[in-house]
Amino acid sequence: MNLLLAPMDAITHQAFRNLVGRFGGCDEYFNEMINASSLLAGGAWEQYYLLEAPEPEKLVWQLTDKNGDKMAEAAAILAQKNGIGIDLNMGCSAPQIAKTGAGIAWMTKPIAETRDMVHKVKSALENAAKDGRKAKRLSVKLRLGDESYTEEKLHNFCAMLIEEGVQMITLHARTQKQKHSRPSNWHAVEHLALRFPEIPVILNGDVKDKASFERAQKTAPHAQGIMIATAAAQKPWIFAELKKSDTNDTNLRELEINCEQLALQFIDDVERFQPKEFWKTRLQRFFAYYCLNFSFGHYFQSSMLNASDNEDAKKRLHEYFEKCPDDKIHSFC
């Protein structure tokens, strides 16, 4: 079962991917989504979205935009870089994204418009493949659709994607307005995988530990992979944990994690691989999840989110683990 790191805004940048890589990594790393228009404009910060570590050959570049032509132009640029391929964001339901015509809006636009965009991106990837090189893979991450969702509508939409050359689909099985308090519909993933056996269908949503991983596999046995989102932000070692669970390899050693040192390494990498203007938001996004591992997680979370700068964050980390030394070392077999 392939394990994939989900694209998460302000989280799955290189500093965070490095954390995941320290524990053996995963099968595919999706970067935080890149806005095609911003990339084409050549803004000062775009270079930070294009960093490729820790395993460039496993990177997937996710694109978002409201304009199909710009998506295609940006895909042609990204096709020249390392990585597995390009993923089209058709699942982000954040109002500030969807209202512009990007993200999940591509599932609700006239089908001809969405088809045209996918066709142009696919053509751009094929045209970029020169000297006998294989074209980069084209994938799509989507939701069930809007609140008028039916399985038939979803399957018809995915049939169009496949007709236009999409080679993998990741389904976050919630509708546009459903929040994370509503369970993800893993049965819909299984039905989609059975309907389209010619491509990999990936399950996304609600997998956060060994127990949910095993339930997801049981519910959607024909899914060819599981994508992990916020659980990875909370536990960057989750892929190592799930790989051990999936293989039942008794030779895999016990993993011991110094949680304070790990957080300090993350802060150092944010300073190395992100512009100073991004430091505060990157730390806030990460610690909003990471702190939930600990005995007084919500207190710790509030403390870290209120850090004035990186040095203050380091000081607050040290103070917490001084007061709660039992939280410092995490281990699993």
Side-chain angles (χ1 to χ4, degrees):
M1 175 67 72
N2 284 340
L3 295 173
L4 298 78
L5 175 64
M8 290 179 281
D9 182 47
I11 295 181
T12 52
H13 45 76
Q14 180 167 307
F16 178 76
R17 297 195 306 268
N18 284 350
L19 283 192
V20 175
R22 288 188 175 98
F23 300 103
C26 56
D27 295 298
E28 297 187 15
Y29 301 79
F30 282 56
N31 76 314
E32 57 180 335
M33 63 183 180
I34 296 172
N35 181 276
S37 295
S38 298
L39 178 64
L40 296 172
W45 292 334
E46 296 312 303
Q47 61 182 306
Y48 299 100
Y49 288 88
L50 301 179
L51 298 175
E52 299 181 346
E55 298 182 87
E57 70 280 6
K58 295 183 179 180
L59 194 59
V60 180
W61 306 98
Q62 193 187 65
L63 273 176
T64 185
D65 207 281
K66 65 180 181 180
N67 184 292
D69 290 330
K70 290 184 177 180
M71 294 271 272
E73 289 182 58
I77 293 171
L78 295 173
Q80 304 303 321
K81 299 184 68 63
N82 289 307
I84 296 170
I86 306 300
D87 187 74
L88 303 178
N89 183 328
M90 296 190 189
C92 182
S93 60
Q96 67 270 28
I97 300 294
K99 287 181 180 179
T100 68
I104 198 170
W106 285 106
M107 295 188 73
T108 60
K109 292 180 182 184
I111 194 70
E113 182 178 351
T114 302
R115 180 188 289 272
D116 183 62
M117 180 272 287
V118 176
H119 180 82
K120 287 177 177 176
V121 172
K122 181 67 174 179
S123 296
L125 296 181
E126 291 177 344
N127 292 337
K130 300 176 181 177
D131 304 320
R133 290 183 294 126
K134 185 179 179 181
K136 289 287 198 293
R137 185 188 73 193
L138 178 60
S139 62
V140 170
K141 185 173 185 290
L142 43 66
R143 285 194 172 219
L144 296 173
D146 62 17
E147 304 321 295
S148 67
Y149 154 77
T150 66
E151 194 166 85
E152 181 181 11
K153 286 176 64 175
L154 175 65
H155 288 188
N156 288 342
F157 184 82
C158 291
M160 177 275 292
L161 297 177
I162 295 168
E163 286 171 6
E164 294 301 332
V166 170
Q167 297 156 284
M168 187 178 87
I169 292 174
T170 300
L171 178 58
H172 178 182
R174 292 184 172 92
T175 63
Q176 180 173 359
K177 293 184 179 180
Q178 285 176 343
K179 305 301 182 184
H180 285 81
S181 58
R182 176 84 175 256
S184 184
N185 183 357
W186 293 341
H187 293 287
V189 179
E190 175 67 2
H191 297 164
L192 190 67
L194 289 171
R195 173 67 178 80
F196 300 106
E198 65 270 32
I199 67 162
V201 172
I202 309 301
L203 180 151
N204 174 226
D206 292 348
V207 176
K208 57 185 178 180
D209 51 26
K210 177 181 176 181
S212 56
F213 176 65
E214 291 174 349
R215 289 197 305 273
Q217 288 181 301
K218 184 176 180 179
T219 305
H222 289 87
Q224 294 190 33
I226 291 180
M227 180 178 278
I228 311 292
T230 55
Q234 181 178 345
K235 301 188 295 182
W237 56 85
I238 192 171
F239 296 105
E241 204 169 340
L242 296 182
K243 284 178 184 178
K244 184 172 177 58
S245 168
D246 200 31
T247 61
N248 292 315
D249 187 346
T250 57
N251 294 318
L252 289 175
R253 64 181 177 83
E254 178 179 354
L255 184 61
E256 187 173 271
I257 301 155
N258 184 317
C259 294
E260 179 181 5
Q261 188 60 41
L262 185 68
L264 291 171
Q265 289 172 338
F266 174 74
I267 295 173
D268 287 344
D269 272 3
V270 166
E271 292 177 351
R272 290 175 63 197
F273 302 117
Q274 293 285 280
K276 191 169 185 179
E277 293 86 350
F278 286 9
W279 289 0
K280 188 175 183 67
T281 56
R282 271 36 178 175
L283 263 61
Q284 287 177 330
R285 286 280 283 161
F286 172 69
F287 285 111
Y289 297 105
Y290 186 69
C291 291
L292 299 179
N293 290 302
F294 307 114
S295 301
F296 301 95
H298 290 288
Y299 160 78
F300 191 18
Q301 179 190 72
S302 178
S303 176
M304 294 303 294
L305 295 184
N306 286 313
S308 58
D309 55 29
N310 288 9
E311 291 306 311
D312 188 30
K314 294 175 185 178
K315 177 183 175 183
R316 289 170 185 242
L317 276 168
H318 182 70
E319 289 175 348
Y320 178 82
F321 289 111
E322 282 283 302
K323 294 176 181 178
C324 305
D326 290 345
D327 279 350
K328 189 171 183 176
I329 303 298
H330 172 83
S331 63
F332 65 88
C333 298

